[in-house]
Amino acid sequence: MEGGVPEADVSAFRECISLSWKNPYVLRLAFSAGIGGFLFGYDTGVISGALLYIRDDFEAVDRQTWLQEAIVSTALAGAIIGASIGGWINDRFGRKKSILIADTLFLIGSVVMASAINPSILIVGRVFVGLGVGMASMASPLYISEASPTRVRGALVSLNGFLITGGQFLSYLINLAFTNLPGTWRWMLGVAALPALTQILLMLMLPESPRWLFRKGKEEEAKEILRKIYPPQEVEDEIIALKELVEIERKDNSSSDKVNILKLLKTKTVRRGLYAGMGLQIFQQFVGINTVMYYSPTIVQLAGFASNRVALLLSLGIAGINAFGSILSIYFIDKTGRKKLLLFSLCGVVFSLVVLTVVFHQTTTNSPMVSVIETSHFNNTCPDYRTALDAAEWDCMKCLKANPQCGFCSSADSKLLPGACLISNDPTEEQCQKEQRQWYTRGCPSQNGWLALIGLALYILFFSPGMGTVPWVVNSEIYPLRYRGICGGMASTSNWVSNLIVAQSFLSLTDAIGISFTFMIFIFITVAAIIFVIVFVPETKGLPIEEVENMLERRSLNIKFWQRSSDSDQVLTQKNVS
């Protein structure tokens, strides 16, 4: 291209902001498609608060940990299927139709969940929502990436990440708003139908991705859209680059409609892209983010905050920090580059997980003792405590772990003094709270619970700008055009499979080895993620989306991550010369 490739820096962020009045059309495309990310975030956040009240309505859910995990994880199973078929649908029918199908599925799922009369129907609704979220998770960033000018592509795809975290934040506000209404969790889950309906209406008025149209031979339609997206001095160069790319694809006689996995993996550029793209999506989940988002109210209770409302309120703060981190990503992603942002993020996550591990270890090993006198004050002693030979050695944590049907009622004088180990049911909880005591069923009172909140806040603050958004940005730009839909679908599927594994095992793991050792496992995984990013992930900052393929073709492993890859420099130099 004449004039070369503009280097992305802090001015890219300012240019992104200036689009609001220079070219509002581009922002309209990005925001409308980004509602898919909002739905993704809303579902992630809303189920964490709704689960507290679903447990109150359905006794079976309250008594059985696996059923709580199933309510969360069946949506993830649906997302795996949605992401798997989403790649094919994106390439066959287009990005726009994929988003519309995803919204329709989400709309159906929201209605089913809100009207569920038992856990089984609720789970069916979760599957529908999962299908929609899985499809939207890869279609939305792909649409935004293909409809964005090169200079602000990273910032606009990061906007999708901001809307994910914005959805999570709003879900906690909705959770708090409906805590005192009848049918609390039904309102929480049903409200999700509104943004899905909004996106359907907006997307019907927007065009298809210009790059997909070019690939399907609809060049005039694509050119018209590109002229609305790019400045006049850049649009012709972009059209020429797209024509060359499509021509190469036709000569190669290859398309993702005909591609098979073996042929895909034999293509060097695709294989290298999948290493980076799928690896980032897998590590995004295995460093533990969605355990924090799905179960943050539960984690807050484990830190010693007993009230459902207090847990939701504190989780709202966590979600707000998550949204703030996404704003930081929009600013820094085209300034520092994708790779440096990832490494800074992961190093901060390691530090935060160390804090959480230490705090929760202290909390679980120093919980208040169980007092015979306090327990005898009530008439419904926990049967396991009553028959225990070592009852004098029991503390709050041992009471809760002995039997899921037992709870801990704190002392009336101080929650840190010895309390009572009682049968967990509604009458007992009411009796305990009437005497101005705190009732605990998930975690125990602790004087250091606030340190756990600081650890959670630091975790989110470090995770969100880097690992929260960069994997989606990289996956939206790293694959060759002819394979972009199917490779994006494979990467999204790996994300949702990893999400399912972590979400399905988190509560069981905390029951088996304790929450502190669970966070310790995440530490080791995060260290592995740092090594992976250094070795396998290329820098795509400032590269036109059509030139990423050339960079992957020339790229070799580059341990010196603080330097731009020599291969991508080669690509930029060649473009400048031309």
Side-chain angles (χ1 to χ4, degrees), residues 55-72:
R55 284 164 49 188
D56 291 341
D57 273 11
F58 299 127
E59 186 175 345
V61 176
D62 187 43
R63 301 296 184 200
Q64 301 175 66
T65 299
W66 71 266
L67 199 50
Q68 297 174 38
E69 290 175 335
I71 290 171
V72 172

Side-chain angles (χ1 to χ4, degrees), residues 35 55 74 76 92 144 196 247 252 280 292 332 349 366 383 437 453 463 518 526 544:
I35 295 176
R55 284 164 49 188
T74 46
L76 302 181
R92 184 66 182 272
I144 296 170
E247 199 59 40
D252 192 40
L280 284 176
V292 173
F332 283 109
V349 167
N366 294 279
R437 301 167 181 253
L453 295 180
F463 180 93
T518 302
T526 308

Side-chain angles (χ1 to χ4, degrees), residues 432-447:
C432 174
Q433 292 174 342
K434 277 181 181 178
E435 298 183 11
Q436 305 304 312
R437 301 167 181 253
Q438 295 290 319
W439 177 248
Y440 297 87
T441 56
R442 296 294 304 172
C444 291
S446 171
Q447 61 181 358

Side-chain angles (χ1 to χ4, degrees), residues 215-282:
R215 189 169 164 270
K216 294 299 181 180
K218 301 178 180 180
E219 294 187 9
E220 291 307 314
E221 189 178 345
K223 288 178 183 178
E224 185 181 342
I225 299 166
L226 287 171
R227 289 190 179 100
K228 294 180 180 179
I229 293 172
Y230 282 86
Q233 66 272 21
E234 296 178 20
V235 67
E236 292 306 321
D237 291 336
E238 185 65 26
I239 290 172
I240 291 170
L242 263 175
K243 277 184 177 179
E244 290 174 354
L245 198 65
V246 172
E247 199 59 40
I248 291 171
E249 177 184 330
R250 285 171 181 162
K251 287 179 182 178
D252 192 40
N253 196 28
S254 233
S255 73
S256 47
D257 292 314
K258 303 173 184 176
V259 75
N260 60 67
I261 298 299
L262 188 61
K263 187 174 183 179
L264 200 70
L265 296 178
K266 284 182 178 178
T267 307
K268 183 166 66 172
T269 54
V270 176
R271 188 172 64 249
R272 288 177 172 177
L274 283 173
Y275 287 158
M278 292 182 70
L280 284 176
Q281 295 286 31
I282 290 168

Side-chain angles (χ1 to χ4, degrees), residues 283-293 318 321-322 345-346 348-356 452-465 467 519 522-523 526:
F283 276 117
Q284 185 191 60
Q285 296 304 320
F286 274 97
V287 299
I289 178 58
N290 276 327
T291 60
V292 173
M293 297 315 298
I318 300 296
I321 293 171
N322 198 18
S345 174
L346 287 167
V349 167
V350 170
F351 172 75
S352 308
L353 288 171
V354 169
V355 172
L356 287 169
L453 295 180
I454 291 176
L456 283 174
L458 286 174
Y459 177 94
I460 293 296
L461 190 59
F462 281 115
F463 180 93
S464 184
M467 282 301 286
F519 280 123
F522 291 146
I523 292 174
T526 308

Side-chain angles (χ1 to χ4, degrees), residues 160-384:
N160 184 69
F162 169 69
L163 288 170
I164 292 174
T165 58
Q168 290 169 338
F169 180 75
L170 183 63
S171 72
Y172 285 113
L173 281 177
I174 295 291
N175 286 350
L176 277 171
F178 291 127
T179 50
N180 295 321
L181 287 179
T184 303
W185 60 269
R186 298 182 188 278
W187 285 102
M188 294 175 179
L189 299 177
V191 163
L194 294 178
L197 186 59
T198 300
Q199 188 173 37
I200 289 174
L201 297 175
L202 289 174
M203 289 303 297
L204 287 173
M205 296 184 286
L206 292 177
E208 182 53 80
S209 158
R211 286 174 171 81
W212 184 84
L213 290 171
F214 242 103
R215 189 169 164 270
K216 294 299 181 180
K218 301 178 180 180
E219 294 187 9
E220 291 307 314
E221 189 178 345
K223 288 178 183 178
E224 185 181 342
I225 299 166
L226 287 171
R227 289 190 179 100
K228 294 180 180 179
I229 293 172
Y230 282 86
Q233 66 272 21
E234 296 178 20
V235 67
E236 292 306 321
D237 291 336
E238 185 65 26
I239 290 172
I240 291 170
L242 263 175
K243 277 184 177 179
E244 290 174 354
L245 198 65
V246 172
E247 199 59 40
I248 291 171
E249 177 184 330
R250 285 171 181 162
K251 287 179 182 178
D252 192 40
N253 196 28
S254 233
S255 73
S256 47
D257 292 314
K258 303 173 184 176
V259 75
N260 60 67
I261 298 299
L262 188 61
K263 187 174 183 179
L264 200 70
L265 296 178
K266 284 182 178 178
T267 307
K268 183 166 66 172
T269 54
V270 176
R271 188 172 64 249
R272 288 177 172 177
L274 283 173
Y275 287 158
M278 292 182 70
L280 284 176
Q281 295 286 31
I282 290 168
F283 276 117
Q284 185 191 60
Q285 296 304 320
F286 274 97
V287 299
I289 178 58
N290 276 327
T291 60
V292 173
M293 297 315 298
Y294 286 131
Y295 298 114
S296 58
T298 301
I299 293 172
V300 168
Q301 288 184 329
L302 287 169
F305 298 91
S307 164
N308 281 356
R309 187 173 178 83
V310 169
L312 285 175
L313 187 60
L314 293 173
S315 297
L316 175 64
I318 300 296
I321 293 171
N322 198 18
F324 174 72
S326 296
I327 296 173
L328 292 180
S329 178
I330 295 173
Y331 179 84
F332 283 109
I333 196 164
D334 285 321
K335 173 179 168 62
T336 64
R338 284 64 161 150
K339 193 165 185 173
K340 291 179 186 177
L341 197 55
L342 282 170
L343 290 168
F344 174 79
S345 174
L346 287 167
C347 290
V349 167
V350 170
F351 172 75
S352 308
L353 288 171
V354 169
V355 172
L356 287 169
T357 300
V358 172
V359 170
F360 276 108
H361 179 71
Q362 190 280 333
T363 300
T364 54
T365 54
N366 294 279
S367 62
M369 300 299 293
V370 175
S371 164
V372 175
I373 297 174
E374 290 286 338
T375 303
S376 62
H377 175 73
F378 300 89
N379 297 320
N380 42 6
T381 303
C382 171
D384 295 71

